[in-house]
Amino acid sequence: MKILLTGGSGFIGSNFVRYVLRDRDDIEVVNLDALTYSGNPENLADVENDPRYTFVHGNILDIELCRKLIGECDAVIHMAAESHVDRSIIDARPFVESNVLGTQTLLDAMRKVDPDNAKTFVHVSTDEVFGDLPLDRPELKFSEATPYAPSSPYSASKAGSDMIARAYHHTFGMKVMVTNCSNNFGPYQFPEKVIPLFVTNLIEGKKVPLYGDGRNVRDWLHVEDHNEAVLAVLEKGEPGESYCIGGNNERSNLELTHAILGAMGKDESWIEPVKDRLGHDRRYAIDATKLKTQLGWEPTRSAWPAALESTVKWYVDHAEWWKRVKSGAYRGYYEQQYVNR
Ligand code: TYD
């Protein structure tokens, strides 16, 4: 099987490429990536000469290029997206362009080259499309039946892209499936997201900026668990269905921060409480029963402390990677200060 992967040079995509090349010798991957600020060819430097891997520099908004590449592949996994909430608060436009228009362009390209709907399309999305959950109702979780109620410009743009993907299944009979994952963590994550930001700040001797009261909860999913689930959906999922992917690993930001400080031998004085994110979602949590009962998938790599500690160690061991990334386009925390000024 030959897969066209969009956004394969980003955090989740590059881990997907490495995972498939390592574990599945029956799969080839073509990576279409625009290499915007977070897509980084260095993320795949170790596999760039693998005969089962091809890199194409280009944009999902380029319909001719998408048609050509989809025509040469058996399936599409669509990961390319703008994904950082704080950036979407500063400027929502790239989010609507890449996430909504980009997804529609890709689906239209597929429709043209695959009129008999022989190919499969997995649209990779987020649990943030469901909005947020209250902190005092731990029994509540998101599932495939939860209504969409996105609350940030980022999640609204992903919700729009999910709706387009579902509509193309309903209207044209395309074999489209949607996945909604919780917060990913692991190697090669852009250091604007909380885990790599906090770990790399501490290595640099800087404090960690904890938003608000630190009680917000996220369900942490190891990126390789996520990618295994995405592949299971591609190979065994039902067209028109959506699948929630979670790590069974809910933690408050305070708990997360203490775990990182502990893994790095630092005390609480390294926490810098800062103003809260605008419209900060309180809690995300996934009920992944459908994936378990229908496709036989459950997370096996997400449990803490082991998975968090190995991730912290990866950033400690790969300082040359994140130092180059941070010295370039990285502006996340400072932009946040700008928003809250
Ligand atoms: P983030 O990694 O941006 O993911 P998301 O907003 O998509 O969940 O943030 C995870 C949590 O960490 C979120 O509740 C916001 C919080 N956070 C901080 O407290 N400080 C920070 O500097 C960042 C980037 C996030």
Side-chain angles (χ1 to χ4, degrees):
M1 175 168 55
K2 193 166 174 178
I3 298 173
L4 175 66
L5 173 69
T6 69
S9 299
F11 159 51
I12 299 176
S14 61
N15 278 283
F16 183 87
V17 171
R18 196 171 287 100
Y19 163 66
V20 160
L21 294 179
R22 189 193 65 213
D23 282 11
R24 290 289 299 266
D25 58 14
D26 55 334
I27 294 181
E28 285 178 50
V29 187
V30 177
N31 166 21
L32 170 63
D33 199 297
L35 300 180
T36 56
Y37 78 94
S38 58
N40 180 354
E42 268 190 64
N43 295 359
L44 287 168
D46 53 328
V47 298
E48 65 187 5
N49 295 320
D50 191 302
R52 289 187 289 120
Y53 172 67
T54 310
F55 172 66
V56 179
H57 184 202
N59 199 303
I60 52 171
L61 289 162
D62 179 346
I63 192 160
E64 290 304 326
L65 178 61
C66 291
R67 274 189 204 172
K68 176 179 170 292
L69 295 176
I70 296 172
E72 294 163 2
C73 291
D74 307 300
V76 176
I77 297 182
H78 176 33
M79 292 191 178
E82 290 289 337
S83 70
H84 193 48
V85 174
D86 293 330
R87 285 181 187 266
S88 79
I89 293 169
I90 291 158
D91 184 6
R93 190 165 182 109
F95 288 74
V96 175
E97 284 173 355
S98 296
N99 299 355
V100 183
L101 288 177
T103 301
Q104 172 253 316
T105 305
L106 204 52
L107 285 161
D108 272 341
M110 180 141 162
R111 207 155 70 76
K112 284 283 168 350
V113 296
D114 184 31
D116 302 328
N117 295 327
K119 305 182 193 227
T120 308
F121 187 106
V122 178
H123 174 69
V124 176
S125 189
T126 168
D127 61 356
E128 301 190 28
V129 296
F130 302 120
D132 71 349
L133 297 164
L135 290 179
D136 59 358
R137 299 280 308 275
E139 76 284 5
L140 294 182
K141 289 177 194 268
F142 301 135
S143 77
E144 294 77 7
T146 306
Y148 276 35
S151 43
S152 73
Y154 158 63
S155 54
S157 70
K158 287 300 286 187
S161 68
D162 293 15
M163 299 291 185
I164 294 277
R166 288 165 173 226
Y168 274 55
H169 166 75
H170 185 86
T171 308
F172 305 112
M174 293 173 70
K175 286 201 280 185
V176 176
M177 289 161 285
V178 175
T179 60
N180 297 97
C181 68
S182 60
N183 284 61
N184 279 223
F185 70 105
Y188 295 102
Q189 189 168 28
F190 196 84
E192 64 186 351
K193 300 283 166 71
V194 70
I195 291 179
L197 175 71
F198 281 16
V199 174
T200 60
N201 268 15
L202 291 170
I203 299 171
E204 291 178 309
K206 295 187 210 154
K207 292 190 176 186
V208 298
L210 185 63
Y211 295 168
D213 59 13
R215 291 176 62 226
N216 307 64
V217 171
R218 300 293 185 259
D219 174 0
W220 290 99
L221 169 68
H222 193 273
V223 64
E224 202 157 299
D225 273 339
H226 177 216
N227 283 327
E228 183 183 65
V230 168
L231 194 55
V233 168
L234 176 73
E235 298 191 305
K236 298 187 273 182
E238 195 63 42
E241 292 291 307
S242 71
Y243 297 88
C244 284
I245 310 172
N248 291 334
N249 190 28
E250 278 183 63
R251 311 281 170 171
S252 72
N253 290 341
L254 258 177
E255 230 180 310
L256 163 70
T257 305
H258 280 118
I260 293 173
L261 291 171
M264 301 197 59
K266 304 273 192 189
D267 64 24
E268 281 194 349
S269 66
W270 288 88
I271 300 177
E272 184 186 355
V274 297
K275 253 187 161 174
D276 210 355
R277 170 185 282 170
L278 296 178
H280 196 172
D281 284 344
R282 297 300 284 177
R283 173 172 167 252
Y284 306 139
I286 289 268
D287 173 357
T289 306
K290 179 174 174 180
L291 261 179
K292 184 175 173 182
T293 53
Q294 296 191 5
L295 305 189
W297 176 89
E298 344 179 42
T300 57
R301 306 164 178 91
S302 298
W304 289 7
L308 181 70
E309 283 169 7
S310 64
T311 299
V312 168
K313 185 174 180 326
W314 189 89
Y315 290 95
V316 170
D317 292 345
H318 291 79
E320 73 297 342
W321 176 84
W322 58 259
K323 281 189 176 156
R324 268 196 295 276
V325 171
K326 266 191 155 181
S327 65
Y330 171 70
R331 303 196 312 276
Y333 173 55
Y334 300 98
E335 287 169 344
Q336 178 62 27
Q337 297 308 293
Y338 171 78
V339 167
N340 287 329
R341 75 194 187 281

